Amino acid sequence: MPETTVPTHTLNDGTELPAIGFGTYPLRGAEGVDAVESAIRAGYRLIDTAVNYENEAEVGEAIRRSGVDRDELVVTSKLPGRHHGYDEALASIRGSLERLGLERLDLHLIHWPNPSVGRYREAWRALVTARDEGLVRSPGVSNFTEQHLEEVVADTGVTPVVNQVELHPTFPQVDMRAVHARMGVQTESWSPLGGRDALLGSDTVSRLAERHGVTAAQVVLRWHVQLGSVPLPKSATPERQRSNLDVFGFALDTDEMAALTVLAQPDGRLFGGDPRTHEEM
Ligand code: A2P
């Protein structure tokens, strides 16, 4: 049995999402299967993959090997930019299911809006159809701005359950978190450890880690949890997988939360992935 009990958020469609999940990029091949299997055995129940990570087959294999009941898992994948047309998106989802060896995705996200292509609204309509047909339990998005969110809601009346965005103390997404709160969209954090070396080695994080008797990564992941965002840390190391999950036994106070958020930089994105301009096919 996993040692850590992970609380859940209730999404806008009434389903539950664990408060922390496992990011699988760039885990591939036999080592990738081992890493995802060990994460599930450690207690992760939210598993985050994508067509473009090219590891859906590995994730499916790890799920089967783990012996954990499929219905206990929240399996997420993401639709790539090259599949944004309506028919292409539905075919893409069937491809993901085939590679994963599953009959249903729990969450499926539009990976990037790719506004220069301008077909994310069509892609969203396809995700809503996929939900209605039972291929996807809950449709969501990733890297959407307020404008993209408003457009897809206006088109369909369906609000994405999550928006997975780059979020870490150097880029805390204050505005998008407020948009999500207003619209009823759950925030998920990608690259939650934020280019880890500078952040995890910083004086602020080190001081808090020492004070609480935890690791630097646990401090940062706890900050996400207390912001109400769901972090998706990736680690290939079983020991780190376990400790990253174990962030529910201590709490940061208001001053400590503020000390971390203050590490924000005007453009604190790791690689300049601004969704208004970034293209990823
Ligand atoms: P590794 O797989 O060797 O553990 P992010 O999730 O923010 O994208 O960060 C992922 C990176 O952070 C990976 O390189 C991973 O390396 C590393 N990492 C994950 N957990 C920890 C940890 N607890 N301490 C230090 N580095 C970590």
Side-chain angles (χ1 to χ4, degrees):
M1 283 296 288
E3 290 166 19
T4 306
T5 306
V6 176
T8 59
H9 296 278
T10 303
L11 302 178
N12 66 29
D13 64 356
T15 61
E16 299 288 312
L17 188 73
I20 184 167
F22 185 68
T24 66
Y25 182 77
L27 301 169
R28 286 199 198 109
E31 286 177 9
V33 177
D34 288 347
V36 177
E37 181 187 353
S38 97
I40 297 170
R41 288 185 186 278
Y44 290 88
R45 292 295 176 264
L46 168 59
I47 310 295
D48 187 89
T49 178
V51 171
N52 277 349
Y53 300 170
E54 297 178 347
N55 66 1
E56 290 174 309
E58 284 90 331
V59 168
E61 177 66 17
I63 290 170
R64 286 185 292 281
R65 275 211 221 152
S66 73
V68 168
D69 186 354
R70 192 262 168 267
D71 289 332
E72 277 189 39
L73 296 168
V74 178
V75 182
T76 309
S77 191
K78 308 189 195 77
L79 181 78
R82 65 184 179 283
H83 295 161
H84 274 196
Y86 183 85
D87 292 336
E88 294 94 320
L90 286 168
S92 177
I93 292 167
R94 291 182 202 283
S96 288
L97 292 172
E98 202 166 304
R99 285 185 293 278
L100 282 157
L102 297 177
E103 293 187 349
R104 184 199 73 234
L105 276 155
D106 301 293
L107 278 180
H108 200 56
L109 317 183
I110 298 178
H111 203 150
W112 286 88
N114 287 300
S116 78
V117 176
R119 300 180 84 188
Y120 54 87
R121 296 165 75 156
E122 255 183 85
W124 181 251
R125 281 195 288 271
L127 255 66
V128 173
T129 299
R131 179 199 66 179
D132 294 343
E133 290 183 354
L135 301 175
V136 169
R137 189 198 70 192
S138 304
V141 296
S142 186
N143 301 300
F144 269 37
T145 65
E146 180 175 19
Q147 181 205 326
H148 303 138
L149 287 171
E150 294 286 6
E151 285 174 4
V152 298
V153 174
D155 281 351
T156 59
V158 179
T159 303
V161 291
V162 306
N163 187 17
Q164 185 183 126
V165 295
E166 177 174 358
L167 202 167
H168 38 76
T170 31
F171 196 65
Q173 294 272 21
V174 176
D175 294 345
M176 280 311 296
R177 284 190 287 110
V179 168
H180 294 162
R182 173 174 67 74
M183 297 182 75
V185 176
Q186 173 64 48
T187 311
E188 288 187 331
S189 310
W190 62 257
S191 272
L193 302 176
R196 60 184 175 140
D197 291 340
L199 177 68
L200 298 186
S202 69
D203 288 348
T204 305
V205 174
S206 306
R207 181 170 46 82
L208 295 180
E210 197 176 333
R211 190 186 295 167
H212 288 277
V214 297
T215 68
Q218 285 173 312
V219 167
V220 173
L221 294 168
R222 180 68 202 178
W223 173 86
H224 288 269
V225 166
Q226 287 186 218
L227 283 187
S229 185
V230 173
L232 302 165
K234 168 263 170 186
S235 177
T237 318
E239 178 49 38
R240 283 177 175 172
Q241 293 173 351
R242 277 192 292 276
S243 67
N244 289 351
L245 190 64
D246 183 15
V247 293
F248 301 96
F250 71 104
L252 303 169
D253 68 23
T254 312
D255 290 343
E256 293 171 332
M257 286 293 289
L260 288 165
T261 309
V262 115
L263 299 175
Q265 288 162 21
D267 191 3
R269 294 186 197 275
L270 291 179
F271 65 92
D274 184 333
R276 291 170 301 182
T277 49
H278 182 73
E279 299 292 344
E280 209 166 292
M281 294 301 145

